[in-house]
Amino acid sequence: MPDSFIEFGQRLEKQDPIALTIAAAIQTYSAVKVHPNFEIVEIRRAGDSDSYSEILVVDCTNDGVPTKNRIGIRYRERLGLRFFANANKLPEVRALRQDFPPTSHQNHVAFGEPASLCLYFEPWSAVERTWTAQKHLSRVLWWLAETANGSLHRPDQPVEQIYFSSEFELVLPPDFDAKAKDKSLSLVVKPQPLSGNECRVLIASFKPVTEPADNKGYLDVSCVVLTLSPVVHGGIERIPVILGELHDRLEQRGAPVLHVMFEEIRRLATGGGLPKSNKKKKELTLLVLNIPIVRAVESQPERQETKGFVIHSGLGELGVKCGALFENNRRYWAAHVIGASGALPTDWRDLELEPVDVLPAFTKERARAANGIVPAGPVGVLAGVGALGSVIANMWQRQGWGTWTVVDPDHIKPHNLARHVAFTPHIGWHKARAVASFEAILYQDQHTWKAIPTSARNFQNAEVAAALDAADLVVDATTTLEFPRDLSTRDSVKRATSVFLTPSGLGSVLLMEGSNRAIRLDALEAQYYRGVINQPWGERHLIGNRGYMWAGAGCRDASAVIENDLIQLHAANLVRQLRIKSHKPDAAIQVWHADHGSGAVTTDQIVPAGQLMDTLGHLKLLWDTGLRSKVRQMRVDKLPNETGGVLLGYFDLTLGHIYIVDALPPPPDSDGDATGFTRGISGLQDAVQRAQERTGGIVTYVGEWHSHPPKTSTKPSLADIYLLAHLAGELQADGFPAVMLIIGEHEERWLTAQSLI
């Protein structure tokens, strides 16, 4: 019985590749036409406007699929290769056979739609960097074969789909000094009971005097804030226990309390007076004294002390006893004179005092002082507040360093609580909003951090663009390749740095641009890879992982298993060095290595080399002065003979960039003389493979380099052109251009096959 297929999309009237309008579809059509395992059946379309897509219906044959495999994948499968007009959408592969088996690693689709194969475990923003039509077809074949053989899904991954010691402490508001003399405001307190109620912490704040006094949550205690005359510093005195003793001691030092208190109480009762409480419990008044301290009479205050006392009397009763108020009709009214004879009442003197420990609010200034940090820090953007980014943000908040805009599109999930700075109530919050909210909790009314819950790569977003361009420093903690590379192309950014952990969690990396941005992040990335390839520490730097966990059941829910203590360890090093280096003009590359057994942490630094750029047709080639010096020296070492070797690097097709990371010396079986050079192969494959392994598969073979003898130009010879054409054919399978470098006596010339057309 013949297979039945799902009609997916609408068939184009003209079955001609000229009808295709989407670049990826056009490229894939061309790739299919020359691929032995794929055959075009028809062309279809689906959706409108931004959802418009074009579908190449193909028959795919796959020798890697076993006959009669238990999964049910067929040797020949009909597929729909779907490409969207919206370039931000991942290309789809649909299995069009009606009875295509349900397997692991399929995407959710609407009822009745064909199965969608989950080809890529990484987000499209990462995949598109190196995506080519040829690689896409190879990925399809790989998925079908691995699924048919039962080896695509990890065995350990869950199945898919399912002064004074006192009873009181008074914490002042952060703006206390600025608002204490403002007569339009009154100080109010809220209690913060400790366990067992052995002490009450009073959290003070200001409110307008016109606001009702019975606001919910405020303690039923009247507050009087007085600013006294300056006091000359001297010896420490014992604590007064009655109000008269307090007044006398301060009067001896030139700052009597009574008259200032008298005027303030009268002011508080001006207008409608103060009500007399109907409550039977004892009333209290909180007295807060601002006392400027001077070194000598008539000198300027050098600091200000704030002392607090609880007076065992209600404010109305206190006012009557000191002659500031009188009682009438159960209200206290302001008195107009103290007394005809000028004598002061004395009843107030025996009122009992209880000292209150006055604690200044935790401000950013105090945070920096506690951390030994002098500068306030930059206006910055922190992109990415995952495990590492949220810890870095929390450290900056507690240091009071910088004013940051946090950008991250993701939200808090339950498993994030293992390493993120977040708690159960934050589940479902955007990570950016959760992290920014902690600053408001730390600093009350001093919070300045801002959250933008979207991708930092969304340069079209007005908020993101404005934040990036206004920042003194942009810190990338996204753990992606794409954002720091994209950021490198944005000239309006003042300075950028990137921080990340290695896959095992035992290493961390800091890449920082100089203040003049002469070397951008993407160029620093390439130089970092050269260190990974050539330095002893690079052997296992990017290799290994502690394992995986799956937060859900989908293939994109994989999360690396890294101990939280390693996050904290590396975050501390990164935060410190980032702060130190941000005050210096130089670019920097620094890596850290933690020994899993001993806990020792070592570090290595790479001195960044100057960035170089060449334009090759529509591509830009990036390399550096360090690599140029290396190839020049290899040429000199072999003179008068010619020499050469292999180039290592990688492509970013989204940016149109070729990154040259390193040049390998000639293999030992190479042959060179004064008229030519033939590169050997001995050990070359191992060297290239070693570079790939050390860099996690990012750096690979991209072309060849060779030298020309003295007094000879770098113009390519006919043999050079033939070689370049041959190299282009070798790399065509992956859709990449071949690169050639010719080193002359005083110049270098870069070539690609495309640049010769």
Side-chain angles (χ1 to χ4, degrees), residues 317-546:
E317 182 186 357
L318 173 61
V320 171
K321 288 187 175 185
C322 71
L325 305 178
F326 67 92
E327 182 185 349
N328 182 42
N329 197 22
R330 298 198 59 80
R331 293 189 75 83
Y332 296 102
W333 306 90
H336 298 288
V337 293
I338 294 178
S341 63
L344 294 173
T346 59
D347 292 349
W348 58 272
R349 295 186 59 88
D350 295 326
L351 290 174
E352 184 181 349
L353 285 183
E354 189 168 347
V356 173
D357 289 339
V358 177
L359 307 176
F362 184 61
T363 63
K364 293 184 178 180
E365 293 77 14
R366 292 186 177 276
R368 290 193 293 273
N371 283 278
I373 298 172
V374 176
V379 173
V381 170
L382 174 60
V385 282
L388 179 62
S390 66
V391 174
I392 288 174
N394 185 252
M395 289 183 179
W396 284 341
Q397 288 169 344
R398 296 184 182 279
Q399 292 173 340
W401 191 72
T403 300
W404 296 89
T405 296
V406 183
V407 187
D408 195 305
D410 204 0
H411 66 275
I412 302 291
K413 303 177 184 69
H415 75 279
N416 294 142
L417 304 185
R419 295 191 298 254
H420 288 54
V421 181
F423 303 91
T424 297
H426 296 110
I427 293 174
W429 283 42
H430 278 104
K431 290 179 180 179
R433 297 197 191 283
V435 168
S437 73
F438 298 137
E439 189 221 14
I441 297 171
L442 276 171
Y443 296 111
Q444 299 180 49
D445 297 332
Q446 270 200 326
H447 49 280
T448 56
W449 284 41
K450 180 181 179 181
I452 305 178
T454 189
S455 169
R457 292 183 62 231
N458 188 4
F459 297 160
Q460 303 306 312
N461 181 289
E463 278 192 297
V464 172
L468 291 173
D469 295 347
D472 303 314
L473 180 65
V474 178
V475 177
D476 158 51
T478 62
T479 70
T480 68
L481 295 173
E482 51 267 27
F483 175 66
R485 292 184 190 175
D486 288 348
L487 195 65
S488 299
T489 67
R490 192 170 179 86
D491 294 337
S492 54
V493 171
K494 298 180 180 67
R495 191 178 190 181
T497 187
S498 186
V499 294
F500 57 91
L501 301 184
T502 61
S504 67
L506 294 173
S508 58
V509 181
L510 183 150
L511 310 176
M512 177 174 276
E513 297 177 347
S515 57
N516 61 2
R517 299 196 79 202
I519 312 173
R520 301 286 175 96
L521 278 183
D522 59 341
L524 293 172
E525 178 192 351
Q527 294 184 45
Y528 156 69
Y529 292 139
R530 186 158 70 245
V532 172
I533 293 169
N534 294 301
Q535 298 301 320
W537 54 261
E539 183 176 0
R540 299 202 56 82
H541 177 67
L542 288 176
I543 297 175
N545 197 289
R546 310 308 293 268

Side-chain angles (χ1 to χ4, degrees), residues 193-260:
L194 300 179
S195 60
N197 291 323
E198 75 277 7
C199 176
R200 281 186 298 169
V201 176
L202 307 178
I203 309 297
S205 61
F206 286 100
K207 70 169 187 175
V209 294
T210 55
E211 192 173 304
D214 57 348
N215 283 348
K216 185 177 180 180
Y218 291 131
L219 194 64
D220 190 14
V221 175
S222 300
C223 300
V224 178
V225 180
L226 306 178
T227 300
L228 304 183
S229 301
V231 169
V232 178
H233 81 105
I236 299 174
E237 300 177 351
R238 68 178 179 86
I239 302 168
V241 296
I242 59 174
L243 186 55
E245 185 181 8
L246 173 67
H247 168 77
D248 293 346
R249 292 193 179 178
L250 288 170
E251 186 176 41
Q252 290 170 8
R253 300 181 72 165
V257 173
L258 181 60
H259 290 292
V260 182

Side-chain angles (χ1 to χ4, degrees), residues 3 51 81 194 230 249 272 432-433 557 622 650 682:
D3 288 331
S51 64
L81 310 182
L194 300 179
R249 292 193 179 178
R433 297 197 191 283
D557 290 325
L622 283 80
Y650 52 94
S682 178

